Every structure is written in C-alpha cells, then in structure tokens.
C-alpha cells in the first residue's frame, strides 16, 4: 500500500511538471525573428462595447510571415478590432497612435511597410506597403 501511494505521488509530480513546462514554454513575440518593438499603443476606453486597439511596431526587416504571426499574438476581443502598423526601425515612425479613421500623422505614411488588421468578425489581413501609390 505504501509503495502504491509513493508511485501515485511520483507520477502525479511528473504529470504536474510536464503540464507546467508545457504551459510556460509556449512560443511568443520574443521568439519571432525581426526584432519587433512596440513603440506606440492606443485602446478605446469602453469595456462593454467593441474594444479597438491600435499599435505601431518597429522591426528590422520586412518579414511578412513574422508580421502576420506578431499580429496574431496581439489581443483581440469579440466584435472589436486590432490594427498593427509596422515600420522599419531604421526610419522614422510615430511615437503616438490614436483611435479613428486616421491612426497617426500622415507624414509617416511612406515609412509604413505593413498593416495587420483583425476586424470585428475576426477576419485577418496583412497588407504590404499599405500607403504606397
């Protein structure tokens, strides 16, 4: 009986360690290539309606797949929207973003290399060079 309890305890500890390791070893933003850095953020103030989030992020290279993954890691609420504007860290980028139709000063439009959006219906898109003519 004592050996059975010891075995059950040992297996329980191993199972709990495996669960904890699995929970803490999930990939995240820090694992992405591209040296991503959030430089500006704005969020709508309401909590009962749709939550709107706008981010400005710098990166070291135009890694489109990595940009999509970065956007997927950003928080999103049902019926809300999440927008992420990507800028190269070697050029100018906005220090502030705002909620609305225009999210940052238009002088930075030419420096935006990517735009990720997850809309109210959770439809995702990544647009390359969104302000190019």
């Amino acid at each position: 009986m004592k050996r059975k309890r010891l075995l059950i305890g040992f297996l329980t500890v191993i199972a709990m360690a495996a669960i904890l390791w699995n929970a803490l070893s999930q990939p995240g933003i820090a694992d992405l290539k591209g040296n991503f850095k959030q430089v500006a953020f704005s969020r709508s103030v309401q909590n009962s309606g749709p939550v709107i989030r706008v981010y400005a992020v710098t990166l070291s290279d135009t890694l489109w797949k990595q940009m999509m993954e970065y956007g997927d890691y950003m928080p999103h609420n049902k019926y809300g929207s999440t927008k992420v504007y990507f800028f190269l860290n070697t050029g100018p980028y906005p220090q502030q973003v705002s909620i609305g139709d225009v999210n940052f000063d238009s002088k930075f439009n030419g420096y935006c290399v990517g735009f990720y959006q997850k809309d109210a219906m959770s439809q995702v898109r990544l647009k390359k060079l969104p302000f190019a003519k």
Side-chain angles (χ1 to χ4, degrees), residues 110-131:
Y111 301 101
C112 184
V113 295
F115 171 63
Y116 172 94
Q117 182 175 16
K118 185 180 273 191
D119 65 16
M121 299 307 290
S122 295
Q123 298 296 315
V124 173
R125 69 181 178 146
L126 177 69
K127 187 170 182 184
K128 301 173 183 178
L129 304 171
F131 298 104

Side-chain angles (χ1 to χ4, degrees), residues 18-93:
I19 291 169
L20 186 61
W21 178 81
N22 187 32
L24 296 176
S25 65
Q26 296 296 314
I29 291 173
D31 298 321
L32 296 175
K33 298 174 186 169
N35 196 24
F36 290 90
K37 181 180 176 190
Q38 180 181 313
V39 292
F41 169 68
S42 185
R43 180 189 183 277
S44 59
V45 294
Q46 72 262 21
N47 287 322
S48 59
V51 176
I52 301 166
R53 293 178 174 88
V54 180
Y55 298 88
V57 176
T58 61
L59 66 156
S60 59
D61 195 7
T62 54
L63 305 165
W64 306 114
K65 184 180 178 201
Q66 300 289 311
M67 287 184 206
M68 182 64 98
E69 288 182 30
Y70 184 94
D72 290 341
Y73 282 132
M74 293 290 95
H76 180 74
N77 290 70
K78 187 174 182 179
Y79 304 119
S81 67
T82 300
K83 298 178 182 179
V84 183
Y85 294 94
F86 296 99
F87 299 87
L88 292 177
N89 58 11
T90 56
Y93 51 84

